[in-house]
Amino acid sequence: MDEAGEETREKILTVLDAIPQGVLYSTTDWHRILGGDKRGIRHALDDLEAEGRIEVVRSAEGRPDKPLYRLK
């Protein structure tokens, strides 16, 4: 993983650690918060999910193509 990807991962974990457990963020929210490239953010989120550090929540009421993320 490159340095930018690792930095993005650390920022995501810092934000998720600082907010209440029930708060969920979408990829678009992360783009607004971090200001980075959406593809890079998405890759970082996928990596964190694969490692079991975050979980993806897909809402039946929400848009299934817009997953939400939170700490595990």
Side-chain angles (χ1 to χ4, degrees):
M1 175 173 300
D2 65 2
E3 188 175 320
E6 186 61 36
E7 184 178 320
T8 299
R9 288 167 41 100
E10 290 306 314
K11 286 179 182 178
I12 289 168
L13 291 173
T14 298
V15 170
L16 286 174
D17 193 44
I19 60 173
Q21 186 66 12
V23 177
L24 305 170
Y25 286 112
S26 71
T27 306
T28 302
D29 295 329
W30 285 114
H31 174 66
R32 281 189 221 123
I33 293 167
L34 302 177
D37 174 56
K38 282 187 182 181
R39 285 182 297 244
I41 292 168
R42 180 74 190 147
H43 289 299
L45 290 165
D46 289 344
D47 290 345
L48 289 168
E49 179 190 8
E51 294 170 10
R53 298 184 74 183
I54 64 173
E55 73 177 304
V56 178
V57 178
R58 298 191 193 278
S59 171
E61 302 102 38
R63 291 184 52 186
D65 63 325
K66 298 239 181 214
L68 302 172
Y69 302 89
R70 67 175 171 206
L71 281 178
K72 261 194 161 176

